[in-house]
Amino acid sequence: MLANTHPELQVIDASRVRAADRDWSLARTPVGPRLVARVPAADAASLGGFEGEAGTSGSTTTLVGPLSARNAAALRRQILWLAPRPLGLATSAGFGDRLGLATPGHVAALRQVGGSIAPVFAQQSIREMARTGRTPQQVLDAAMWGVLAAGWREGFGADADHLKTPADIDACLQAGFTWFTIDPSEHVEAAADGAAPDTLAPALRALPWSHLEDTEAALRTRYVDRDFDVDGHVIRVDEAAIVRAAVKYGRAVAHVAQMYRYLRAHVVDGAFDFEVSVDETESPTSHAEHLYVARELRRLGVRWTSLAPRYVGRFEKGVDYIGEVADFDRDLAVHAAIARTHGPYKLSLHSGSDKFAIYPSAVARTGGLVHLKTAGTSYLEALRTLAQVEPGLFRRIYAFSLGKYEADRASYHVSGRLDRVPAAETMDDGALAGLLDDFDARQVLHVTYGSVLTARDADNRPLFVDALMAALREHAAAYTTCVERHFVRHLVPFARPAVERGRA
Ligand code: ZN
């Protein structure tokens, strides 16, 4: 029937959903992917929320429409598993996707590793959205179309990452996000780390005590000279430690509580995942500081599903953990114990891509109460694909990225150096993809995505993004393969304990 009325449509089999007498799918067409809806002609009014070209042949009405925001919203009302949902404490992984084409690869990796990792297919920070010129709705819808294309029906989360203001919350809530990561780093007083006791005293006095519903005296009574037994790990807190923790994180605690209450007041059905991230600070979060943050947030009524301390060692973008794994393991054991006994909540690994050295420790110490957050690594796999299928375009993007690196690296944790990156001019096309395995080149390409995706020529035409997207659409299978291969390595350590727990 469909083939008769629209011979040019090539339905993507995995996307096909039959619900009652309605039939939904995606189709490849010469002008890109389209939504195809077929309903009984008598029921044609049910397509009223959709846009596109509708026609009736016999007893069936068929609509062929664009992958637009309107059609995405209408389809979510028809197919419930296309709407993101809160994931709670399930072992989970976040797949930030700056181009919006990576979800089929993420799904393929999840299917290959098995287990029961709960996926976050829509995930983008406010900073990433600003740099790529995408809206929260575009991010969420792109993931949803990928979910439909791949036929993933097990549910997924949508993480509005590194939110800093109520306006950030509004935009993401409106778009349908279900996981809100609050980043209070602007309220973290990093200078408290090295500060002398006499400078800490006035800083303590200056905390927003009314917002904290607290007093200095009450704070001291709760913490000073107490031993906190956290699942067998004793954390001793003295006067100096609590003053430093309060000065460093007190304002952040007040800010997070404010953002939490704002969300509680605005989320219609009351259910959402809430994450607190202090990962983007200079110094590691001590155990006493983690304890302070967790206990104070609880006292203020905040409930969260995950928290990202700043761990020891270095979590640089796009490369493996830098530091001693044994140190990380010892440090994480206590953070995990705090998370078990003060929630429980998951520990979140931000800048988590490519940290293969520490995944086994993270999974073992948390017992699977862990969230792996990745963002830029899917973009890097897009570039790897490009190096293989359109080396000329890849060379231009690489050269452009080198020129932008020094400026773009400012807000990221990277140590890649331009004087160490390989020169592409002398490389054969076949060797270009290897640049994605080079520490320095990888970091250069990782942090310059915003410049690449928004660059325009003298006539204000996009310099790279349209050609990049066209290449990835044309070579969708190659891109999915690259993403899948890369993510299987990430997910295997996280899938295993879930399976074992399930059997226990
Ligand atoms: Zn982060």
Side-chain angles (χ1 to χ4, degrees):
M1 171 86 67
L2 191 57
N4 294 339
T5 49
H6 295 274
E8 77 285 11
L9 292 176
Q10 246 189 295
V11 167
I12 300 172
D13 284 335
S15 73
R16 193 143 191 201
V17 183
R18 292 189 190 83
D21 47 8
R22 299 172 190 179
D23 186 310
W24 316 92
S25 59
L26 293 177
R28 293 187 190 89
T29 76
V31 289
R34 286 290 181 272
L35 170 67
V36 181
R38 290 196 308 162
V39 303
D43 192 22
S46 67
L47 296 176
F50 292 84
E51 60 187 343
E53 284 176 40
T56 297
S57 165
S59 60
T60 301
T61 296
T62 301
L63 176 137
V64 180
L67 306 195
S68 63
R70 181 173 165 183
N71 282 346
L75 197 59
R76 280 192 286 271
R77 287 192 289 273
Q78 299 282 341
I79 304 173
L80 295 182
W81 47 262
L82 286 179
R85 59 178 172 81
L87 303 179
L89 296 180
T91 303
S92 50
F95 304 93
D97 178 10
R98 292 167 180 166
L99 300 172
L101 297 174
T103 301
H106 298 148
V107 168
L110 276 167
R111 284 178 171 149
Q112 196 180 315
V113 301
S116 55
I117 301 167
V120 176
F121 291 131
Q123 173 213 300
Q124 210 91 124
S125 69
I126 292 294
R127 174 175 64 191
E128 288 174 297
M129 290 192 263
R131 292 201 173 179
T132 55
R134 298 164 83 207
T135 65
Q137 195 69 63
Q138 286 170 322
V139 170
L140 190 132
D141 289 352
M144 188 209 88
W145 294 121
V147 164
L148 180 64
W152 178 264
R153 303 184 182 197
E154 328 298 319
F156 65 100
D159 178 2
D161 200 10
H162 284 281
L163 307 182
K164 300 196 170 178
T165 66
D168 294 343
I169 291 179
D170 286 342
C172 298
L173 194 54
Q174 177 82 29
F177 281 78
T178 52
W179 173 318
F180 299 86
T181 298
I182 306 303
D183 173 1
S185 56
E186 286 166 14
H187 306 270
V188 174
E189 184 54 60
D193 276 328
D198 57 334
T199 61
L200 288 174
L204 183 70
R205 219 167 301 135
L207 286 182
W209 290 103
S210 63
H211 288 247
L212 290 167
E213 300 170 18
D214 201 12
T215 64
E216 279 191 57
L219 177 77
R220 287 197 165 84
T221 306
R222 289 200 302 282
Y223 289 97
V224 173
D225 294 336
R226 277 190 60 186
D227 288 333
F228 292 86
D229 186 330
V230 183
D231 233 1
H233 302 273
V234 177
I235 302 173
R236 172 140 192 91
V237 181
D238 59 15
E239 164 84 14
I242 194 60
V243 168
R244 204 175 293 280
V247 169
K248 185 171 173 186
Y249 288 110
R251 282 173 203 282
V253 164
H255 176 73
V256 168
Q258 196 186 353
M259 296 284 273
Y260 177 75
R261 286 168 192 158
Y262 186 86
L263 261 168
R264 283 297 296 266
H266 289 81
V267 174
V268 179
D269 62 4
F272 57 89
D273 292 315
F274 191 71
E275 176 165 318
V276 181
S277 76
V278 291
D279 63 299
E280 295 204 357
T281 57
E282 273 311 311
S283 62
T285 310
S286 72
H287 300 139
E289 289 164 352
H290 182 174
L291 190 78
Y292 164 82
V293 168
R295 295 180 78 88
E296 294 308 296
L297 286 174
R298 279 197 77 82
R299 186 178 59 78
L300 290 168
V302 179
R303 296 294 178 266
W304 62 99
T305 34
S306 48
L307 184 141
R310 161 79 159 80
Y311 305 102
V312 297
R314 287 185 5 239
F315 281 67
E316 292 195 9
K317 296 291 180 187
V319 297
D320 210 332
Y321 178 74
I322 301 173
E324 292 297 326
V325 174
D327 293 344
F328 173 83
D329 188 63
R330 264 193 304 277
D331 179 61
L332 190 80
V334 185
H335 284 304
I338 297 170
R340 262 196 309 279
T341 51
H342 288 74
Y345 50 87
K346 292 185 273 195
L347 287 181
S348 187
L349 301 173
H350 280 232
S351 302
S353 78
D354 308 282
K355 304 297 180 291
F356 303 109
I358 53 115
Y359 294 157
S361 161
V363 174
R365 291 301 188 181
T366 61
L369 212 50
V370 64
H371 175 65
L372 170 69
K373 193 173 305 209
T374 75
T377 209
S378 297
Y379 170 74
L380 292 181
E381 290 309 308
L383 295 184
R384 188 192 301 277
T385 309
L386 196 66
Q388 293 160 5
V389 302
E390 275 194 40
L393 178 58
F394 175 83
R395 285 178 188 277
R396 290 198 297 283
I397 289 178
Y398 183 56
F400 180 84
S401 296
L402 291 172
K404 294 290 181 184
Y405 179 62
E406 286 305 335
D408 289 350
R409 66 178 292 184
S411 58
Y412 286 100
H413 290 287
V414 284
S415 59
R417 279 166 39 185
L418 289 177
D419 62 354
R420 289 193 306 219
V421 299
E425 293 78 10
T426 54
M427 296 173 77
D428 292 335
D429 283 354
L432 290 175
L435 288 169
L436 274 307
D437 302 314
D438 176 88
F439 181 100
D440 299 280
R442 201 169 162 78
Q443 292 202 325
V444 167
L445 291 168
H446 194 291
V447 301
T448 50
Y449 67 94
S451 294
V452 169
L453 298 178
T454 54
R456 291 182 171 266
D457 67 14
D459 300 317
N460 203 32
R461 284 180 308 229
L463 207 47
F464 306 116
V465 65
D466 290 355
L468 172 61
M469 297 293 277
L472 294 174
R473 285 204 173 94
E474 187 185 337
H475 301 277
Y479 182 37
T480 294
T481 299
C482 279
V483 172
E484 175 184 3
R485 190 186 303 135
H486 191 58
F487 272 95
V488 163
R489 286 184 69 200
H490 286 78
L491 298 180
V492 161
F494 293 84
R496 206 171 287 134
V499 173
E500 281 163 9
R501 272 205 315 279
R503 285 195 193 119

